[in-house]
Amino acid sequence: MLNDVKCGQRARIQCHHATGAMRRRLLDLGFLPHAEVDVIRRAPFGDPIQCRVANCSVALSRSEAKLIEVDVDT
């Protein structure tokens, strides 16, 4: 899941398990299947997480990041 990706790592989105308005928000922000996501940094207690997707910087809460299934690029 995206919340497990470390700062500075890149991951590729496989799918997300959000529903309703949350699903629409993630899709609108560019969290689409096969999109690449860079985790830039985390707040001191891990929430929120700053990510770069589709050339945009986005802050996600940890609960939102837990809904996004990813493969980490090595």
Side-chain angles (χ1 to χ4, degrees), residues 7-53:
C7 292
Q9 283 187 314
R10 177 172 287 174
R12 185 173 301 275
I13 297 174
Q14 295 302 309
C15 64
H16 51 79
H17 303 284
T19 60
M22 176 68 68
R23 179 178 176 82
R24 180 82 261 161
R25 178 178 176 264
L26 291 173
L27 292 171
D28 289 344
L29 289 171
F31 289 90
L32 302 167
H34 308 293
E36 289 187 349
V37 178
D38 295 315
V39 175
I40 299 170
R41 63 180 155 199
R42 296 173 183 267
F45 293 107
D47 198 16
I49 301 167
Q50 183 181 5
C51 301
R52 178 166 293 136
V53 62

Side-chain angles (χ1 to χ4, degrees), residues 51-64:
C51 301
R52 178 166 293 136
V53 62
N55 293 325
C56 295
S57 181
V58 179
L60 294 177
S61 69
R62 196 176 347 184
S63 61
E64 292 171 328

